[in-house]
Amino acid sequence: MKILGIETSCDETAAAVVADGSKIISNIIASQIDIHARYGGIVPEIASRQHLLTIIPVVQKAMSEANAGWQDIDGIAITYGPGLAGSLLVGVNVAKAIALATGLPITGVNHLEGHIYANWLSSPSNCSCPIHWANGAGKVRFPCLCLIISGGHSDLIVMKGHGQFEKLGRTRDDAAGEAFDKAARILGLGYPGGPAVEQAATTGTPCIPLPRAWLKGSHDFSFSGLKTALWHLAQKEQISATDAAASFQLAVVDVLVGKTIEAAKELQVKQILLSGGVASNKFLTERFLNSSPIPVLIPPPDLCTDNAAMVAACGYYHFQAGNASSYDLDVVPSLSLG
Ligand code: KG4
Ligand code: ZN
């Protein structure tokens, strides 16, 4: 069964064809990073206009790279939330138009659920990174604990089966990716912040003491105190940007890894599944793999950040469960999971 996935929730215009919920046949991503970089962050109005310009060529490229005509596709999976309303609208309307013209069924995918399903995608043949897929990609065992760490979310979610999600914890303020982006701005490291902080940290020493919000007795996260501490420090004294980046990254990773493993042990889950842009951070993934007694699945970096292959994989399981959407599917910018 081949699914066309479409993703336009934020600043990536993406389309992919995935077979049987796991095999990537094509995976096209048009990034808007260069366009938004000059503003230091995503400008929603520009993002939606850019999606309008690129969505049709991106879908066409995904279809042609898959060597597929519409008769080869069995369904369309489309992200309908959470995300930027104007951006989501472009993808949802294109998906509905294709469905109407071809008669194919569509299914609306929660972007966060989509991120989790990156763990079902089988290793693309060009993935040579030894730490990814180390624990058996696609071999997910329930119940598992999903840590979704992206620009807008830091959620801990227990997954008991396909489509069965229970939220265990969330961020009380800044999301993990948002904290990386803000730290990069404070340190003058540029945009997007996550990769910039990770890069700077490779030559820095984590010698600056920064606070960690453990929030004992809760599975929630909080990163705003850490960000504010870094801001005060940068105002007060001349600090090395690389040492500050390494110290900040260590503080975020200590909390994400520590609290996730603690929750996984408490709940006796079989696996930990990472997903979301921050899960492409190598320092974080190495720490998880080195310190977790419970197997950790980690998609390769380009499947952690926004893509449509994960949406197609998730859509496959929706269709398997009989969950198609009707043509009145609408965007839900504040959609949550679990
Ligand atoms: O999942 P994603 O691509 O989009 C959202 O759904 O938000 O995540 C984007 C976030 C950004 O905040 C970005 O700074 C962060 O993921 N990120 C990283 C890294 N790569 C991307 N954070 C830390 N280290 C990285 N290498
Ligand atoms: Zn995302």
Side-chain angles (χ1 to χ4, degrees):
M1 187 176 190
K2 286 192 186 123
I3 306 298
L4 169 69
I6 298 177
E7 156 66 45
T8 63
S9 67
C10 194
D11 62 339
E12 322 277 4
T13 317
V17 177
V18 172
D20 301 328
S22 69
K23 188 170 180 288
I24 298 172
I25 304 183
S26 66
N27 187 20
I28 308 299
I29 303 171
S31 171
Q32 302 179 8
I33 281 179
D34 293 346
I35 297 165
H36 298 285
R38 74 188 80 146
Y39 305 102
I42 296 161
V43 184
E45 183 65 19
I46 295 176
S48 54
R49 283 167 190 265
Q50 196 58 32
H51 284 306
L52 270 179
L53 294 174
T54 44
I55 185 72
I56 300 296
V58 163
V59 169
Q60 282 172 334
K61 194 158 185 225
M63 291 293 288
S64 68
E65 282 202 8
N67 224 350
W70 294 116
Q71 70 282 359
D72 302 313
I73 302 294
D74 299 287
I76 301 167
I78 172 65
T79 302
Y80 72 106
L84 301 168
S87 293
L88 290 163
L89 272 169
V90 176
V92 166
N93 282 305
V94 164
K96 285 202 270 190
I98 298 172
L100 201 62
T102 58
L104 287 171
I106 50 169
T107 185
V109 168
N110 180 320
H111 180 76
L112 300 170
E113 188 183 2
H115 268 303
I116 293 173
Y117 275 86
N119 284 286
W120 268 261
L121 294 166
S122 61
S123 173
S125 54
N126 60 357
C127 178
S128 56
C129 181
I131 69 163
H132 297 111
W133 313 103
N135 289 303
K139 298 193 189 103
V140 178
R141 292 170 64 211
F142 298 123
C144 53
L145 181 64
C146 308
L147 175 67
I148 309 173
I149 31 179
S150 68
H153 293 84
S154 305
D155 286 347
L156 264 179
I157 289 176
V158 183
M159 186 176 184
K160 293 190 172 157
H162 290 295
Q164 293 174 41
F165 304 98
E166 275 167 35
K167 191 177 284 179
L168 190 68
R170 60 179 171 89
T171 182
R172 292 187 182 173
D173 37 60
D174 292 350
E178 185 182 0
F180 269 97
D181 293 334
K182 288 177 177 169
R185 207 171 303 156
I186 292 167
L187 299 173
L189 296 172
Y191 169 87
V197 169
E198 180 171 22
Q199 177 59 32
T202 56
T203 54
T205 311
C207 55
I208 301 169
L210 288 169
R212 283 129 172 93
W214 291 107
L215 306 181
K216 289 278 173 219
S218 157
H219 295 296
D220 285 351
F221 298 104
S222 165
F223 296 108
S224 72
L226 168 62
K227 167 201 67 189
T228 307
L230 183 69
W231 185 81
H232 281 299
L233 207 66
Q235 299 301 306
K236 239 181 20 212
E237 53 190 282
Q238 195 75 25
I239 49 170
S240 144
T242 53
D243 288 352
S247 308
F248 174 85
Q249 180 175 256
L250 180 63
V252 175
V253 167
D254 273 352
V255 173
L256 287 174
V257 175
K259 294 199 68 153
T260 304
I261 293 176
E262 185 185 73
K265 283 188 195 158
E266 185 186 312
L267 294 161
Q268 301 186 339
V269 293
K270 295 204 169 74
Q271 290 174 335
I272 293 170
L273 270 56
L274 303 191
S275 62
V278 182
S280 65
N281 182 292
K282 204 159 169 253
F283 182 75
L284 173 116
T285 55
E286 279 174 355
R287 173 72 87 80
F288 258 112
L289 293 174
N290 291 334
S291 59
S292 176
I294 294 155
V296 186
L297 297 194
I298 309 164
D302 60 341
L303 296 178
C304 286
T305 47
D306 287 352
N307 66 85
M310 67 188 199
V311 177
C314 180
Y316 168 82
Y317 287 96
H318 281 201
F319 285 122
Q320 291 291 90
N323 292 332
S325 305
S326 64
Y327 287 141
D328 57 14
L329 174 71
D330 202 357
V331 302
V332 184
S334 58
L335 189 65
S336 67
L337 184 66

